[in-house]
Amino acid sequence: MAVAQKSLREARIGVVGATGAVGAVTLELLAARGYDNVRAFGSERSAGTSVPFGGIALVVEQATPEALSAGDLDVCLFSVGTSASRELVPHAVRGGAACVDKSSAYRLEPGIPLVVPEVNGARAREHEGIVANPNCCTIPLTCALKPLHDAAGLARVRVATYQSVSGAGAAAMERLRGETPEQHDLRMDWEFDGVEFDEESKLRAETRKIMELPDLPISATCVRVPVMVGHAEAVWLETEQPLSPERARELLAAAPSVRVEDFPSPGQAAGGDEVLVGRIRSDPTVEHGLVLFLSCDNLRKGAALNALQIADLLVGVTV
Ligand SMILES: NC(=O)c1ccc[n+]([C@@H]2O[C@H](COP(=O)([O-])OP(=O)(O)OC[C@H]3O[C@@H](n4cnc5c(N)ncnc54)[C@H](OP(=O)(O)O)[C@@H]3O)[C@@H](O)[C@H]2O)c1
């Protein structure tokens, strides 16, 4: 297909979901990197409106099956909801575009790569038109777990998340802006199956798939906090071999896209590209236990930036 002969910079890129929280950041990152062959797509609701792209405004086109399958897009970066992705992504694939999808529609589908470039980037090359972008908590978690697993083997992981409101999209951000401080509260605004939120089961299943550790014991408790941008996670892990906090700190400091900070926070992470990791210490309550705290911009490395990095990997690969 056409993308095989092009670099991402030359490729014709469609940003689908361009009016949303992730779409806006995707456009910002593309403009900052100097891409100009970019089109913006949304639903019927936003078709004909415009979105900022560098110094100009892009008119939003409706993401119809016809428009997406017309054969004039090389790469499509989807950030629409799961049902819209299920409906629209196959049309873009039919039109010859390599698609990176940020919803949960395809993440656990056998044969569809679920990719964090720093962790399992080579898997992206196995795609047949679709690469799935993981959940915004899974991405930073696996960036931190990978070097520790490589050094000492992961035996168990427990996570508590503190997720920002932008993770729930542009409408939720608007709601937070309209609240008084007294109205701020923790939320658990995911689907509940009577035991777990789907966010918690996604974090477990996606981490296992990306790390290629299908039996890894991992449990999570997810909450949303009244912070606009930037997710945080407290992580308790057990390793098969002993791993000192000092060695873990060295490994994390050398890991791609990770920056060691004493006290990572969403405020520090927001607007940046790195996963901030700190509070690295022993957990004396278990054998070979470590505790750490991380934070990451959920709209950038947790979504738009990771997808762009995947798209970079796809260039030069025939679908
Ligand atoms: N926010 C995050 O931190 C984050 C991180 C990782 C993954 N994700 C995933 O990325 C996706 C988008 O998230 P978001 O936070 O950007 O949500 P959002 O702010 O609510 O934006 C949703 C976008 O999807 C578009 N859309 C909805 N239905 C559509 C349809 N049928 N056809 C075409 N476009 C349609 C909307 O267009 P209109 O304006 O026309 O309605 C809007 O541009 C979700 O699947 C989410 O799970 C989000």
Side-chain angles (χ1 to χ4, degrees), residues 16-24 41-47 60 62-64 78-85 87-88 101-104 107 133-136 139 164-171 173 202 231 298-300 302-304:
V16 190
T19 52
V22 175
F41 293 91
S43 75
E44 193 178 4
R45 291 179 291 275
S46 58
V60 178
Q62 187 178 345
T64 60
F78 278 86
S79 54
V80 296
T82 299
S83 60
S85 277
E87 185 203 329
L88 294 172
D101 183 55
K102 302 188 202 72
S103 78
S104 55
R107 289 178 189 157
N133 192 76
N135 173 282
C136 41
I139 293 170
S164 69
V165 166
S166 58
M173 294 168 81
K202 280 178 196 170
H231 289 359
N298 52 293
L299 298 174
R300 293 171 74 100

Side-chain angles (χ1 to χ4, degrees), residues 43-269:
S43 75
E44 193 178 4
R45 291 179 291 275
S46 58
T49 62
S50 60
V51 286
F53 179 66
I56 61 165
L58 288 183
V59 175
V60 178
E61 302 173 51
Q62 187 178 345
T64 60
E66 296 72 32
L68 295 174
S69 63
D72 52 6
L73 291 165
D74 299 311
V75 174
C76 277
L77 304 168
F78 278 86
S79 54
V80 296
T82 299
S83 60
S85 277
R86 282 212 178 95
E87 185 203 329
L88 294 172
V89 170
H91 294 291
V93 173
R94 189 160 52 83
C99 297
V100 184
D101 183 55
K102 302 188 202 72
S103 78
S104 55
Y106 301 102
R107 289 178 189 157
L108 301 178
E109 286 281 310
I112 296 190
L114 177 67
V115 174
V116 178
E118 297 83 348
V119 180
N120 65 340
R123 290 279 174 214
R125 302 189 199 292
E126 296 169 5
H127 79 102
E128 293 177 9
I130 306 172
V131 179
N133 192 76
N135 173 282
C136 41
C137 282
T138 311
I139 293 170
L141 179 65
T142 55
C143 284
L145 292 181
K146 169 77 172 152
L148 306 180
H149 174 66
D150 287 348
L154 282 178
R156 184 180 305 279
V157 179
R158 297 184 181 88
V159 189
T161 72
Y162 310 79
Q163 298 180 225
S164 69
V165 166
S166 58
M173 294 168 81
E174 241 358 88
R175 240 191 341 266
L176 181 64
R177 284 192 191 98
E179 279 182 10
T180 62
E182 293 71 26
Q183 291 172 309
H184 291 348
D185 200 0
L186 298 184
R187 287 173 190 252
M188 299 185 197
D189 49 6
W190 301 281
E191 282 194 28
F192 190 57
D193 68 6
V195 177
E196 267 190 331
F197 290 100
D198 64 347
E199 190 79 352
E200 295 161 349
S201 45
K202 280 178 196 170
L203 191 54
R204 176 173 54 246
E206 293 179 21
T207 301
R208 286 174 169 171
K209 179 170 176 176
I210 295 162
M211 303 284 297
E212 301 183 13
L213 295 170
D215 301 319
L216 179 69
I218 170 166
S219 75
T221 298
C222 295
V223 302
R224 199 173 300 289
V225 294
V227 164
M228 194 60 86
V229 177
H231 289 359
E233 303 175 37
V235 184
W236 292 260
L237 58 97
E238 294 167 41
T239 53
E240 282 158 0
Q241 306 301 319
L243 183 64
S244 70
E246 295 73 26
R247 181 68 187 133
R249 193 181 174 92
E250 280 171 12
L251 291 165
L252 287 161
S257 298
V258 170
R259 193 171 90 225
V260 173
E261 284 284 338
D262 287 340
F263 306 107
S265 72
Q268 279 178 303

Side-chain angles (χ1 to χ4, degrees), residues 280-302:
I280 304 158
R281 59 204 193 275
S282 292
D283 177 0
T285 66
V286 291
E287 195 183 12
H288 305 157
L290 280 175
V291 196
L292 54 86
F293 193 76
L294 65 83
S295 191
C296 162
D297 186 321
N298 52 293
L299 298 174
R300 293 171 74 100
K301 184 58 186 162

